[in-house]
Amino acid sequence: MDWKGRDVISIRDFSKEDIEFVLKTAERLENELNEKGALDYARGKILATLFFEPSTRTRLSFESAMHRLGGSVIGFSSAASTSVKKGESLADTIKTVEQYSDVIVIRHPMEGAARLAAEVAEIPVINAGDGSNQHPTQTLLDLYTIKMAFGKIDGLTIGLLGDLKYGRTVHSLAEALTFYDVELYLISPELLRMPKHIIEELREKGVKVHEMTDLEGAIPELDVLYVTRIQRERFPDEEEYMKVKGSYRVNLEVLRKAKETLKVMHPLPRVDEIHPEVDKTKHALYFRQVFSGVPVRMALLGLTLGVLEV
Amino acid sequence: MPENLKIEVIPEGTVIDHIPAGKWLKVVEILHLTKPNGGTLLIASNVPSKKLGRKDIVKVEGRYLSEEEVNKIALIAPMATVNIVKDYKIVEKFNVEIPDEVVGILHCPNPNCVSNHEYVLPRFRVESREPLKLRCHYCERTIEGEEILGNL
Ligand SMILES: [Zn+2]
């Protein structure tokens, strides 16, 4: 696979080999970073972060990754401050920005915006979230976190908890996990079950799937519990949201039934799904998960820029 | 007289045969024949057919089809045959085919899809032909059945 110039738009474009290669490269970079403190693979290269809607964490993670690679960053963090507000097309914005930079990271409220940007741009484009569609770097960092915590992904029993209907991160994570030999517990309120077509796809690809509403029943089985927030803005109507908000709370009480080695993950920010008392236990993996974003994004930036020897 | 020209013969133009019964109006809409274009438009609906049980036939005088139009018809009438008529004779006959990609024909039903907001041709990958299932190249959402017909 030729990585130089490649776009990172959808986890659906990735093969298992691609995923493994990114994880391996991230691990290598993390080790180098620990050894040397700073790297200079991307010296002289410029990343443009185009955040048409705010997502401070994702933006900071990409910026940190580029700085740690020795490169520099330009960009904007809301469409309100740009010519987009005056009606400039996305294509024109991209064609302009690519004159200033070597790689583009885009976050956009419309589904498909990153794909369109990649078609327009000559330089690589990385999707940092397009509406409710894709957020491939999140999925890669989730996989990386699991791999670093357990040394493997195969053979694990993983629980996905919360909003499995609208949750973009759990959809792509589930799709990526079809490449591995895992058992999945899908734990959600009835109203927020994983879409049928994804469950069918999981089963077709040989993943053992259990659907349930009750967290306590599943928790003793799990190696990983991936918690998601039930987000009001994803609900078409308020009434549906009120019925399910606060359905699950992961606290010390719930975790008493868990394996000692259980790791809890969450694509932060959280509201009240995980009690802060869990933070100090060895179950908490969610801050390490945030950290994983840096080496994974360093790997993607370095590979697509073609500055890492492959 | 050939069997499929039973209703009326046209001197030249296109005969679209083996349209599923009841779908003739959609074909007429796709070809923008709802307003007279100078030539005769002949429609036969619910005609007995060996292949389909019942079928519709649309005959358009003085008009030939572009590949894009043929592909559009394939989405609603995958069994349709297209006959090119010149001088009262069928000079060419072919089956429609659902392509691997459907470009610029139907709109994405997702209102938040970038293809509905930017200057770009809508584009779908054919994920399955039977039943027909398309996936938007941009927003990655899949559409099937009536939703496809409604967005043609
Ligand atoms: Zn679309």
Side-chain angles (χ1 to χ4, degrees), chain A residues 111-112, chain B residues 107-110 112-116 123-124 135-141:
Chain A
E111 286 103 61
Chain B
H107 293 281
C108 182
N110 172 7
N112 203 37
C113 177
V114 76
S115 69
N116 290 317
R123 202 163 141 194
F124 295 82
R135 188 185 291 277
C136 175
H137 169 74
Y138 290 99
C139 72
E140 304 190 9
R141 215 174 268 192

Side-chain angles (χ1 to χ4, degrees), chain B:
Chain B
M1 182 194 295
E3 201 221 344
N4 64 343
L5 290 176
K6 204 155 30 185
I7 38 167
E8 187 75 57
V9 199
I10 51 170
E12 48 201 323
T14 306
V15 175
I16 304 139
D17 199 356
H18 299 110
I19 301 164
K23 297 276 199 239
W24 65 268
L25 181 60
K26 212 74 215 180
V27 172
V28 166
E29 279 172 4
I30 285 171
L31 300 178
H32 301 293
L33 299 171
T34 42
K35 286 192 194 113
N37 72 338
T40 307
L41 174 66
L42 295 165
I43 291 148
S45 186
N46 218 27
V47 178
S49 152
K50 275 189 217 124
K51 212 155 117 189
L52 297 177
R54 294 274 166 177
K55 67 176 182 182
D56 292 353
I57 306 168
V58 171
K59 301 185 184 196
V60 196
E61 189 191 346
R63 176 106 147 49
Y64 301 99
L65 302 186
S66 69
E67 198 184 333
E68 188 189 307
E69 287 172 326
V70 172
N71 291 346
K72 273 193 204 182
I73 290 170
L75 295 180
I76 54 158
M79 308 283 278
T81 47
V82 178
N83 303 282
I84 310 292
V85 180
K86 280 185 180 145
D87 204 13
Y88 295 97
K89 282 194 207 81
I90 293 174
V91 295
E92 206 185 327
K93 181 173 184 155
F94 53 90
N95 297 318
V96 299
E97 235 175 282
I98 297 173
D100 294 334
E101 259 211 324
V102 177
V103 182
I105 295 178
L106 73 162
H107 293 281
C108 182
N110 172 7
N112 203 37
C113 177
V114 76
S115 69
N116 290 317
H117 298 270
E118 290 274 325
Y119 180 71
V120 58
L121 277 182
R123 202 163 141 194
F124 295 82
R125 253 185 63 84
V126 176
E127 292 252 307
S128 124
R129 291 186 161 77
E130 193 58 63
L132 186 59
K133 186 170 155 192
L134 311 176
R135 188 185 291 277
C136 175
H137 169 74
Y138 290 99
C139 72
E140 304 190 9
R141 215 174 268 192
T142 56
I143 56 171
E144 315 177 47
E146 286 300 313
E147 219 177 358
I148 295 174
L149 301 185
N151 286 285
L152 273 169

Side-chain angles (χ1 to χ4, degrees), chain A:
Chain A
M1 167 54 66
D2 195 4
W3 278 87
K4 187 177 175 173
R6 188 177 173 181
D7 304 304
V8 179
I9 304 303
S10 165
I11 202 73
R12 302 168 52 83
D13 301 337
F14 278 69
S15 67
K16 180 173 183 178
E17 289 65 40
D18 293 336
I19 291 174
E20 290 285 310
F21 186 67
V22 172
L23 304 189
K24 221 175 70 195
T25 308
E27 189 175 350
R28 187 186 111 197
L29 289 170
E30 188 179 334
N31 291 337
E32 276 184 54
L33 204 54
N34 285 337
E35 240 169 69
K36 298 182 197 159
L39 306 177
D40 64 352
Y41 290 112
R43 194 178 347 168
K45 301 288 185 188
I46 298 175
L47 160 67
T49 55
L50 311 185
F51 278 60
F52 292 85
E53 66 176 11
S55 172
T56 308
R57 285 156 196 270
T58 305
R59 184 170 55 85
L60 292 179
S61 176
F62 270 108
E63 294 188 1
S64 170
M66 191 59 176
H67 287 304
R68 293 227 190 271
L69 275 177
S72 47
V73 183
I74 58 170
F76 56 80
S77 53
S78 108
S81 58
T82 69
S83 47
V84 176
K85 216 185 153 197
K86 299 172 197 147
E88 184 180 51
S89 74
L90 175 58
D92 281 5
T93 306
I94 297 295
K95 281 188 211 154
T96 304
V97 168
E98 76 172 330
Q99 311 303 320
Y100 308 142
S101 54
D102 303 292
V103 56
I104 289 174
V105 168
I106 180 174
R107 169 95 167 201
H108 199 283
M110 275 177 212
E111 286 103 61
R115 180 78 67 192
L116 176 62
E119 285 174 351
V120 171
E122 306 274 335
I123 62 175
V125 171
I126 299 176
N127 187 3
D130 58 334
S132 61
N133 182 31
Q134 284 275 335
H135 192 5
T137 63
Q138 175 72 44
T139 303
L140 290 163
L141 82 85
D142 289 343
L143 294 171
Y144 182 69
T145 309
I146 297 172
K147 195 158 181 211
M148 293 307 276
F150 291 89
K152 59 171 189 175
I153 297 172
D154 286 318
L156 296 177
T157 299
I158 298 171
L160 305 178
L161 175 75
D163 176 5
L164 307 186
K165 182 176 178 185
Y166 301 111
R168 174 180 65 191
T169 52
V170 282
H171 294 171
S172 356
L173 180 58
E175 271 176 43
L177 285 171
T178 61
F179 289 129
Y180 296 90
D181 172 26
V182 293
E183 194 165 336
L184 287 185
Y185 281 77
L186 306 178
I187 312 148
S188 73
E190 277 298 332
L191 275 171
L192 296 178
R193 284 165 71 162
M194 181 73 86
K196 235 173 76 195
H197 70 270
I198 297 182
I199 294 182
E200 275 164 21
E201 193 187 338
L202 288 166
R203 293 214 164 106
E204 268 167 37
K205 296 198 172 142
V207 178
K208 208 166 172 197
V209 179
H210 313 269
E211 271 195 282
M212 50 212 318
T213 54
D214 152 47
L215 171 61
E216 314 231 331
I219 207 155
E221 310 298 324
L222 303 178
D223 298 306
V224 175
L225 176 62
Y226 192 103
V227 186
T228 65
R229 184 156 53 101
I230 297 178
Q231 284 174 277
R232 177 186 303 236
E233 61 269 29
R234 299 257 183 253
F235 282 79
D237 74 274
E238 180 78 10
E239 209 179 308
E240 203 188 339
Y241 171 71
M242 293 311 284
K243 276 190 228 157
V244 293
K245 81 174 226 261
S247 296
Y248 300 103
R249 296 231 158 83
V250 178
N251 52 30
L252 294 183
E253 173 67 24
V254 171
L255 288 171
R256 271 198 321 174
K257 300 191 183 72
K259 286 185 193 172
E260 262 191 49
T261 51
L262 169 78
K263 297 295 181 198
V264 178
M265 295 173 67
H266 188 300
L268 298 170
R270 66 177 153 181
V271 182
D272 54 7
E273 312 83 31
I274 303 177
H275 195 282
E277 68 197 5
V278 178
D279 296 2
K280 289 191 210 77
T281 70
K282 50 194 177 319
H283 297 302
L285 192 60
Y286 30 93
F287 291 113
R288 162 70 216 200
Q289 190 182 354
V290 173
F291 170 77
S292 294
V294 176
V296 166
R297 289 171 174 134
M298 284 171 75
L300 292 169
L301 289 167
L303 289 169
T304 58
L305 281 168
V307 296
L308 298 175
E309 64 281 15
V310 174

